[in-house]
Amino acid sequence: MNSALFLTAAPEADGLTASARQSLLKACARVAPAWPLDQQIAVNPWWGMREATPEQVAARLAVLSGVSAHCSLADYRAMWRSGAFTTDDLLASGRELGKVSSALATRDLLEGRLEQLPEELPPVWQNLSRLLDEERDHHLMSWQEALEHQISQFCLVALNPEHPLGLREGECLYQRWHADVSQDAGLPALLAAPSLPRVFRRLPAQPEALLTLALHELRVAPELITDYAHALLLDVNGWASRVAWEQWQLAIRGQTDADRMLPLLAIRMAWELALWRLHQAEDGSKELRHCWLRQQQMLSAWENHHAQWQLPLRLCARACELAYQRTLAAALERKVPAQAAEEQPTLLAVFCIDVRSEPMRRALERQHPGIRTSGFAGFFGLPIAYQPVGGALSRPQLPGLLAPGLTASESGPEGLQLRAARERRWNRQAGWKRWSQSPVGMFSLVESFGLAGAGSLLQRTLARANGVRMPDEPRGGVRWALYKGQRELTPEERVGLAHDVLTGLDLPSFADLVMLVGHESRTSNNPQACSLDCGACGGQSGAVNVQVLADLLNHPEVRAALSDRGWAIPEQTRFIAALHETTSNSLEVFAELGAEPQRWLDGAARLARRWRAEAMMPELAHLPDADLWRELQTRSGDWSEVRPEWGLAGNAAFIIAPRERTIGVDLAGRCFLHDYHAERDPGYRRLEQIMTAPMLVTHWINMQYNTSVWDNRRYGSGNKVLHNVADGQLGVFEGQGGDLRIGLAMQSLHDGEHWRHQPVRLSVYIEAPTDAVLAICQRHAVLRELVGNRWLHLFCLDAAGRATPLGMDSAA
């Protein structure tokens, strides 16, 4: 190997070349955003790589960082033995992929004729830090562990807007880091490297100059720059995801800052260059150079090797999907019950499309033949942020894909009472909140506070278990004000908003009672509680949205003006805000109901609880109804409960069709359901809105659950008992350090013996003309990528419910 390639002469200019910049930005764009804890929503962590197929991404991530993109062979063997898929499904998978002989070999693996995958796991790319660790004294802290810890602790302060030492507007992340690390007196002693600060001080103080120098000095081949930069970012994937979120927030507000990730990349690459220079004079540097260059030469071959090694796992994964699609297609292909859309229902309930709503809708419809339900995105079309009365901060109440255009706040005497109650609670509990969410640790609270802590925990637990709502949450009877900027909406604007929402809802008729049902989860001592709330409401409770909409649609002046716009809402129709509490499967209303409607709701809740317990909590299925309800209530308030509910585990399909297509069908709480009537959608504009918003949200949810199962170390958050909240709601650590964790904890996916979520790509079924669906896909690059690269499976349903698979080649 020619050592002249590693001469350290500086490049001619400090700036990156245009091609190098583009390569680095391409790597940065591969990192998906991760929302902070107080707004946590599900995200596909591979969103930035959707221009490639999932198979290509799986091989790329495996070679760059050892990421797992499938279940293990042992998991697939267990699924096969349990009947999750059959040999016929496996052979059908082989025919689809053109790998029938491989499918037969995979069958032998599943049947135990072969005990493991036929070849040894292929090599994985190693950044310089990992290469150096192979020869490092095992009694010393590894370079990899050291750099991850140092970068993470630095970002914990610098990226926290609430920290007094956090970055200020216009300050560069890399420049701050370079100044700090150059003066860090603890690193040399910790790592037994006394010259390390001097090496850091000699690095460029500007991020672009550092990136330019590092790429030159390490002789990274131009065609490998993107993959190398991506491999570095995967070492700090949690913090990279945080920076990607900041960039996302700018983008949805119409601002651009494409270079925002480069300073973090420069920090990680600076460690590579520093370690390289630190070891230049050592005897092993020639061997290091040889390994480093050989990796670059072999990367493409290794990626192909990983793709081949993953083939049996891919075949099993596709077999699981085919088995589920076969079962669901059979359930949808049926004679639809006679339409009763012209008849006014006794009760009409509009639920969020969340998979947990499906059993509750089915249970409610069984209570009375005059009850109809509908499905709509849980933010109910309101582009709002919620700003509590008397508060200075607001929180988005809409999907993360969008930016709020309006602010909602309580008004009237009830709002003033709510403000006073909130201020009393905040003053009383401010100290508790700071401690219970500090990095000292959530589950160490009683150990630290002793009996005093136990008393406070008991008080909060009993309050939640008895259904006591916190006084800072909205309550029924509160009137709502809507603001655009600093001014309140005019009457005409309020009417326009109501018109737009009703158009989106596309209700077939109005009942005397129209119940708008948001949802929330209630858990205690759970930093990731927002991941169990409404993703369509930005990871918040849907209580605000349904109350705002009910207040808007019940207003006499708004109703009168809507009549002039063609909305024939009966005079006796009353819109009622309600809440589906998903932990205990209860229905609460924010208004007085008659005795009979209340009996319907109570009966539906009992039935849905029973179904949920039998499907997801078999250890509770034997309990009588009253005991089951109390047990679920206790779980919601128990600070030590690590599995209060299973969230959206098991999600597998999104059905966009009239309710008549699925009514009475047991979909096992695995389907998102969005009502849609193609015959009432001239031009298919409403369908386009569904496919470009709710469909993307359901895909994100599906992929977050899938990747959290496939590789919880990288895309999940490990053991929630060990979670510590990063100050400022940035995220969680597992333990006291390491990278910021994203995704779901193991306790949200695994019951200790079995997975509660079976990873399959989302199957989307749309009851609409094929030409209309394909035309919408062609108009949107994101849909072309998702459908064309098979990130999800798209089907069209005809009038008989027969499913036709679609791909971007279907247009031909």
Side-chain angles (χ1 to χ4, degrees), residues 469-537:
R469 297 184 63 77
M470 298 303 177
D472 62 324
E473 295 174 338
R475 297 175 297 180
V478 174
R479 299 304 303 270
W480 291 86
L482 293 168
Y483 299 90
K484 189 171 186 177
Q486 298 299 314
R487 68 171 181 83
E488 194 166 354
L489 290 191
T490 65
E492 293 78 11
E493 288 172 325
R494 290 173 66 90
V495 172
L497 177 62
H499 168 78
D500 291 343
V501 171
L502 287 174
T503 301
L505 286 173
D506 188 31
L507 301 177
S509 59
F510 294 98
D512 288 353
L513 288 179
V514 179
M515 195 164 69
L516 307 170
V517 189
H519 66 92
E520 72 174 17
S521 173
R522 293 183 192 163
T523 59
S524 290
N525 192 22
N526 183 7
Q528 295 182 314
C530 287
S531 69
L532 298 174
D533 278 334
C534 181
C537 297

Side-chain angles (χ1 to χ4, degrees), residues 791-806:
W791 286 95
L792 52 77
H793 301 288
L794 184 61
F795 300 85
C796 271
L797 297 172
D798 63 16
R802 289 184 294 264
T804 301
L806 299 184

Side-chain angles (χ1 to χ4, degrees), residues 4 27 122 140 225 229 253 274 342 368 389 437 475 479 515 552-553 650 666 671 717 756 785 803:
L140 299 174
I225 289 176
R253 288 170 173 78
E342 292 75 19
H368 188 277
V389 62
Q437 294 188 350
R475 297 175 297 180
R479 299 304 303 270
M515 195 164 69
L552 181 67
L553 294 178
D666 183 355
C671 296
S717 56
R756 289 295 182 167
E785 292 166 339

Side-chain angles (χ1 to χ4, degrees), residues 665-741:
V665 179
D666 183 355
L667 298 172
R670 301 191 69 185
C671 296
F672 302 93
L673 299 179
H674 200 304
D675 277 53
Y676 175 71
H677 300 81
E679 69 277 8
R680 297 207 296 265
D681 186 23
Y684 305 105
R685 295 296 302 277
R686 186 165 178 263
L687 178 59
E688 189 162 8
Q689 292 172 348
I690 296 171
M691 291 178 65
T692 54
M695 192 172 90
L696 300 189
V697 172
T698 57
H699 162 71
W700 277 16
I701 293 170
N702 173 256
M703 283 299 293
Q704 185 189 59
Y705 272 81
N706 290 350
T707 54
S708 293
V709 169
W710 289 333
D711 193 333
N712 197 264
R713 180 182 65 86
R714 183 77 65 190
Y715 298 112
S717 56
N719 185 349
K720 71 189 301 181
V721 176
L722 303 179
H723 282 180
N724 287 306
V725 175
D727 194 23
Q729 297 290 314
L730 299 178
V732 296
F733 293 114
E734 186 184 15
Q736 297 298 325
D739 192 18
L740 198 67
R741 301 302 296 268

Side-chain angles (χ1 to χ4, degrees), residues 24-31 65 127 226-241 243 261-269 714 739:
L24 293 175
L25 291 177
K26 186 177 179 181
C28 295
R30 289 180 179 178
V31 181
S65 193
N127 295 324
T226 297
D227 282 338
Y228 175 48
H230 188 198
L232 294 178
L233 288 172
L234 285 169
D235 280 346
V236 288
N237 185 63
W239 289 109
S241 300
V243 174
M261 188 81 71
L262 287 181
L264 179 63
L265 176 58
I267 291 172
R268 179 61 189 89
M269 200 174 289
R714 183 77 65 190
D739 192 18

Side-chain angles (χ1 to χ4, degrees), residues 206-224:
Q206 299 295 328
E208 289 208 3
L210 181 282
L211 292 167
T212 303
L213 181 61
L215 293 175
H216 167 83
E217 194 165 322
L218 300 177
R219 290 299 187 265
V220 180
E223 65 273 16
L224 297 182

Side-chain angles (χ1 to χ4, degrees), residues 345-348 360 363-372 513 515 587 593-607:
T346 305
L347 169 67
L348 175 61
M360 183 62 81
L364 183 58
E365 289 164 343
R366 289 185 59 171
Q367 304 305 307
H368 188 277
I371 296 176
R372 293 177 60 91
L513 288 179
M515 195 164 69
L587 286 171
L593 281 182
E596 188 174 28
Q598 188 61 58
R599 281 198 300 272
W600 296 338
L601 300 191
D602 293 342
R606 285 194 298 271
L607 187 55

